[in-house]
Amino acid sequence: MTNDLQKRRDRAARAVSAEPENSPGLRERSRLAGSRKRSQWRDVRKAWQLYVLLAMPVGYAIVFLYWPLFGLQLAFRDFSPVQGVWGSPWVGLENVTRFVTSYQFWDILRNTIILNFYELLALFPMPIVLAILLNTVRSSRFRRTVQTITYAPHFISTVVVVGMLVMLFSPNGGIVNQALGVAGVGPIDFQSADMFRHTFVWSGAWQTMGYSAIIFLAALAGIDPQLHDAAKVDGASLIRRIWHIDLPGILPVTVTLLILNMGSILSTGFEKVLLLQTPFNLEVSEVIDTYAYRVAFVSAIPQYSFGTAVELFKSVICLALLLSANWLAGRVAKERLF
């Protein structure tokens, strides 16, 4: 079959090559090719505004997403500022191997995985629940008020949020500990090793839950209201309508967001972890991002190549998790991101 196709292509190529240079067929094909090029150029000139708008995100992607990939080669070099990026010697996978075999590797990986899975399990369902509850509320004024209250924390800077947490939950005069003292509960250090993960995750829930619910509210708004009307006629309760209409309706969006979250499962909120980190909770708060930052910029001898190798290791694992989650979603939920 393949040989027959190749033979037909060869005969066509020989026929074209054997055709006289000024034959009518060749002139006609040249004329059509030139006409197509002029037509494409006219289309570009007509919609030049769209191409200018397209140039901005493309330029952004090149400068901020692809150009930094140039620095990944540091992970495979013994970088020296004197010799520069191109002059530093290659060391292969030595930096990655050094990180994987270090005595801190398993502690850092365990902290990262526990913190991110805890955050995913706690925070992913909450925007869905909030969106469904808001969707069932009939009073538009009450719904807008709740949305405004829950959206607002998203726009507060992480530095300000951490400052508020430190002041409100301080064991030395924080208003939360004062209230607990009135109830007979002793002061609690919410930044201690025992409480660090809970403080990090649930403060994140307060900050992001309302904003994350926007996507699910938009998905719920796209569900045909006639489905709910028909279910009401059949006597379906509110819970059954949510279970059989709302949840299947937002399933594609849910799967897509879950896959994207799995792709960043090892990427914690670097700023927030670093700001909440103290010497007393370092055993549970040291994650891959903060470790790479410390070895690259805070250590007595900056190790740029080693820090890059640590981040590269994290990126490779995240890519593997993203592909696995995408494959699993396709097999189980029949929905895929790509």
Side-chain angles (χ1 to χ4, degrees):
M1 189 79 177
T2 306
N3 293 333
D4 294 341
L5 181 61
Q6 185 62 37
K7 288 178 181 177
R8 285 198 294 272
R9 288 177 177 173
D10 293 341
R11 283 198 296 271
R14 284 194 297 271
V16 170
S17 60
E19 195 171 4
E21 185 175 351
N22 294 323
S23 66
L26 185 59
R27 287 199 299 271
E28 180 63 16
R29 284 195 293 275
S30 300
R31 189 186 66 78
L32 291 175
S35 176
R36 280 197 296 270
K37 288 182 180 179
R38 286 193 295 273
S39 176
Q40 291 173 352
W41 179 239
R42 279 198 299 271
D43 292 339
V44 172
R45 291 179 61 184
K46 285 180 181 177
W48 66 270
Q49 298 94 336
L50 297 179
Y51 286 94
V52 170
L53 291 175
L54 179 64
M56 290 188 284
V58 170
Y60 175 86
I62 292 173
V63 174
F64 294 103
L65 301 182
Y66 288 97
W67 179 249
L69 295 178
F70 166 79
L72 280 180
Q73 62 177 302
L74 290 181
F76 308 103
R77 290 178 182 269
D78 184 13
F79 177 70
S80 168
V82 177
Q83 295 175 309
V85 175
W86 295 107
S88 300
W90 292 97
V91 294
L93 295 175
E94 181 180 319
N95 290 315
V96 179
T97 306
R98 178 184 159 198
F99 172 60
V100 174
T101 57
S102 69
Y103 72 95
Q104 293 176 292
F105 173 74
W106 290 111
D107 291 337
I108 293 171
L109 187 62
R110 185 184 65 246
N111 291 338
T112 306
I113 291 175
I114 290 176
L115 193 61
N116 281 283
F117 269 103
Y118 183 11
E119 189 176 31
L120 182 65
L121 293 175
L123 303 191
F124 191 76
M126 294 181 71
I128 300 175
V129 175
L130 177 64
I132 290 176
L133 292 177
L134 288 175
N135 192 53
T136 59
V137 172
R138 297 302 173 204
S139 172
S140 59
R141 177 177 297 180
F142 178 78
R143 185 167 59 240
R144 285 198 300 269
T145 303
V146 173
Q147 284 179 306
T148 304
I149 292 173
T150 54
Y151 291 172
H154 173 77
F155 300 99
I156 302 176
S157 164
T158 302
V159 177
V160 176
V161 169
V162 173
M164 292 169 60
L165 289 174
V166 171
M167 287 191 297
L168 294 175
F169 292 91
S170 171
N172 301 316
I175 188 171
V176 175
N177 271 306
Q178 288 185 14
L180 291 175
V182 173
V185 179
I188 299 174
D189 185 1
F190 288 92
Q191 285 184 268
S192 65
D194 294 334
M195 296 296 295
F196 172 80
R197 288 169 181 154
H198 306 300
T199 304
F200 178 85
V201 171
W202 294 110
S203 62
W206 169 75
Q207 189 178 11
T208 62
M209 180 177 65
Y211 191 79
S212 301
I214 293 176
I215 297 176
F216 297 106
L217 280 171
L220 287 169
I223 296 175
D224 189 352
Q226 293 182 357
L227 294 175
H228 281 279
D229 295 337
K232 288 178 184 176
V233 171
D234 291 340
S237 64
L238 177 61
I239 300 299
R240 292 187 70 84
R241 282 187 279 124
I242 290 174
W243 182 259
H244 292 288
I245 298 176
D246 289 340
L247 290 180
I250 63 174
L251 183 61
V253 175
T254 305
V255 172
T256 301
L257 292 179
L258 184 60
I259 293 171
L260 292 176
N261 283 331
M262 289 299 295
S264 59
I265 194 67
L266 297 183
S267 299
T268 54
F270 167 72
E271 293 179 354
K272 193 173 174 184
V273 173
L274 190 66
L275 292 170
L276 284 174
Q277 208 170 58
T278 68
F280 303 105
N281 63 27
L282 200 59
E283 60 181 295
V284 297
S285 64
E286 187 73 304
V287 294
I288 291 178
D289 287 331
T290 56
Y291 179 71
Y293 169 75
R294 289 184 191 285
V295 297
F297 300 106
V298 182
S299 59
I301 302 176
Q303 305 172 65
Y304 301 114
S305 294
F306 186 54
T308 306
V310 173
E311 285 294 318
L312 180 62
F313 170 82
K314 185 196 75 174
S315 300
V316 171
I317 298 298
C318 287
L319 178 62
L321 288 173
L322 175 65
L323 297 176
S324 302
N326 188 56
W327 174 81
L328 188 63
R331 296 295 299 271
V332 176
K334 309 301 179 188
E335 296 287 345
R336 287 191 176 197
L337 183 61
F338 50 86

